Amino acid sequence: CAIAVEAFFWGTFAFTSVVNGKHAWVMAPCLAMLSYGLVFYFGFLNSYLSTACSVWMLAVLWRFSFRRLLVAILLAVVALLGSPLPVAWAVCAIGYVYAARLAGSRARVVLPGAALIGLLLAHFVLIHSFAAVWSPQYVLAPDGWLELSGLSQFFPYREKYALVAIGIFILCFRMFLEGIDRGSVLSNPLAQLVLLNGVALVVIPGSIRFPGYAAEMFVIPARISFFSVILFCAWAGGARHGHGHTRMLAAVAAIYFLFLYVDQRALNRVDTEVASVVAAVPQGQRVVAAIRDRDARANGLERVVDWACIGRCFDYSNYEPSTRQFRVQVTGPNPVVVAEFAEAQTMTHVAHTVTAGEAPLYSVCRSSVPGRRFELRKLEVGEKTCVVSLAVTPPLGHLFW
């Protein structure tokens, strides 16, 4: 994870710097927060690394040469090993920038319209060619504005992150107003791409199942929102702000990382408790743990048993092999992991009835012993696995008393 964060941070920093022709230290606090944002805590490490490589592609290709093109192709090949979506985004973004450079000032007005038509065509192609799910309710929901604005990336857990989101919104709005004064909002290709990313978030399906896979690529709006923030930081890096703006952004980042420290400490305590419980599992057995951090946007406990089982047992509800999107794949019933993606997803949210082929199955349950949160139960045929929901990451008020 540390290598992935380093690759992403310095990639976005390099891209922001090369766009503005100067070191983008003023945006460094925002880029640091984004490096540990919602996508990171969702655990989409493949997509995260692919995005890092794709941003490096943008930085390399911002000034074209054939040597740079060869480097970008190499980065694209590496990125495709993780996820195709960031690569497609980067190719479209740099293609749009090149088209804007080649077009005259009048033709640049036509480009956004052409891009909008392209997004609408992409919508219809994806809806009618693949098993895709599109719902505008994702954006029209009460918190849909967080995705549209990109602020959802700085809102991984509880409501206390609203303070961070408000601070970032105020500072970014100031940069937006300054961009209007410079006249670089409507004419700047990066600013146009930020707006087009917002349109893409609305019209691109929220999940798409591609041929050959047993599960869809999901949470696509959050990934597109991730791209929007990257582009906005690159555009805002050219604002004429002084040290005061940098200090305010650094203060917001300090609050953000304080919240993350408190939340991660609470989640680590649960990790330790679950590991101590799972230590009693006999070697080579299967374990199910459906534990939810109640009211948190990203459930930091969804795969908590993975770490506890290393070298000892198997996380039977692990969904990755059944998706057929990763190197380790499952093709049928086996004694290690559930074979169907839908069943694996259900097992981590609701109680599952143990079948004859699964027994015995060990389940991490809520403990009835005072002072302990979890206990391990050995389940036989017909018994149900446990679902545990508890408030782990503390609300804002608990930080002060």
Side-chain angles (χ1 to χ4, degrees), residues 41-261:
Y41 284 103
F42 272 157
F44 299 154
L45 192 59
N46 283 3
S47 180
Y48 185 89
L49 275 170
S50 179
T51 304
C53 292
S54 298
V55 175
W56 275 109
M57 281 173 52
L58 291 175
V60 169
L61 286 176
W62 193 254
R63 293 191 296 270
F64 181 82
S65 72
F66 286 105
R67 183 177 298 178
R68 288 172 175 268
L69 180 61
L70 292 176
V71 174
I73 291 173
L74 179 60
L75 288 168
V77 171
V78 175
L80 285 171
L81 295 175
S83 173
L85 182 61
V87 181
W89 162 75
V91 170
C92 291
I94 198 64
Y96 187 90
V97 170
Y98 283 176
R101 290 175 180 174
L102 293 173
S105 57
R106 293 182 180 178
R108 288 185 184 180
V109 180
V110 180
L111 278 177
L116 286 173
I117 295 174
L119 286 172
L120 292 175
L121 288 174
H123 167 84
F124 287 108
V125 169
L126 292 172
I127 288 293
H128 295 289
S129 301
F130 302 99
V133 177
W134 175 75
S135 175
Q137 295 300 320
Y138 190 91
V139 178
L140 297 176
D143 61 347
W145 66 276
L146 288 172
E147 295 291 359
L148 280 172
S149 63
L151 294 177
S152 62
Q153 300 301 318
F154 310 101
F155 212 126
Y157 295 120
R158 293 186 178 274
E159 73 286 343
K160 59 179 176 286
Y161 289 91
L163 295 177
V164 176
I166 291 171
I168 292 176
F169 175 79
I170 293 173
L171 294 173
C172 289
F173 188 68
R174 286 182 58 185
M175 288 185 280
F176 176 76
L177 293 178
E178 185 178 325
I180 293 178
D181 292 338
R182 292 183 321 211
S184 62
V185 174
L186 296 179
S187 61
N188 190 298
L190 279 179
Q192 293 172 1
L193 281 172
V194 173
L195 298 176
L196 289 170
N197 264 253
V199 176
L201 192 146
V202 176
V203 302
I204 297 299
S207 63
I208 306 171
R209 179 181 295 185
F210 294 102
Y213 294 145
E216 64 274 7
M217 177 188 290
F218 50 88
V219 199
I220 293 178
R223 303 173 198 246
I224 296 176
S225 176
F226 191 44
F227 303 151
S228 297
V229 179
I230 295 171
L231 291 171
F232 182 85
C233 288
W235 171 71
R240 297 188 300 271
H241 34 58
H243 296 294
H245 189 99
T246 307
R247 292 187 185 115
M248 287 186 288
L249 195 56
V252 173
I255 296 172
Y256 180 73
F257 284 110
L258 172 63
F259 289 167
L260 285 182
Y261 170 78

Side-chain angles (χ1 to χ4, degrees), residues 210-392:
F210 294 102
Y213 294 145
E216 64 274 7
M217 177 188 290
F218 50 88
V219 199
I220 293 178
R223 303 173 198 246
I224 296 176
S225 176
F226 191 44
F227 303 151
S228 297
V229 179
I230 295 171
L231 291 171
F232 182 85
C233 288
W235 171 71
R240 297 188 300 271
H241 34 58
H243 296 294
H245 189 99
T246 307
R247 292 187 185 115
M248 287 186 288
L249 195 56
V252 173
I255 296 172
Y256 180 73
F257 284 110
L258 172 63
F259 289 167
L260 285 182
Y261 170 78
V262 171
D263 289 342
Q264 202 59 53
R265 182 178 60 178
L267 292 169
N268 287 344
R269 288 172 179 167
V270 174
D271 281 351
T272 302
E273 293 176 37
V274 171
S276 65
V277 168
V278 174
V281 176
Q283 191 76 22
Q285 295 298 305
R286 295 164 293 187
V287 182
V288 172
I291 306 175
R292 173 74 192 180
D293 180 10
R294 189 170 59 244
D295 300 326
R297 298 190 73 234
N299 183 21
L301 302 172
E302 188 168 359
R303 301 259 60 91
V304 65
V305 78
D306 287 359
W307 301 100
C309 269
I310 293 178
R312 169 174 294 277
C313 52
F314 299 103
D315 177 7
Y316 186 65
S317 62
N318 192 321
Y319 72 90
E320 292 182 354
S322 59
T323 65
R324 299 177 189 169
Q325 296 176 357
F326 301 89
R327 291 186 180 277
V328 177
Q329 301 181 7
V330 59
T331 57
N334 63 90
V336 174
V337 67
V338 66
E340 297 296 329
F341 172 74
E343 187 178 357
Q345 285 291 84
T346 303
M347 202 176 293
T348 57
H349 294 89
V350 299
H352 169 74
T353 303
V354 180
T355 65
E358 295 170 339
L361 188 63
Y362 291 83
S363 179
V364 178
C365 303
R366 190 72 180 264
S367 176
S368 58
V369 178
R372 295 185 60 185
R373 286 192 280 192
F374 307 102
E375 65 180 18
L376 189 68
R377 296 179 189 172
K378 181 180 179 181
L379 305 179
E380 301 295 341
V381 179
E383 294 186 289
K384 290 184 176 293
T385 59
C386 301
V387 178
V388 181
S389 178
L390 65 164
V392 178

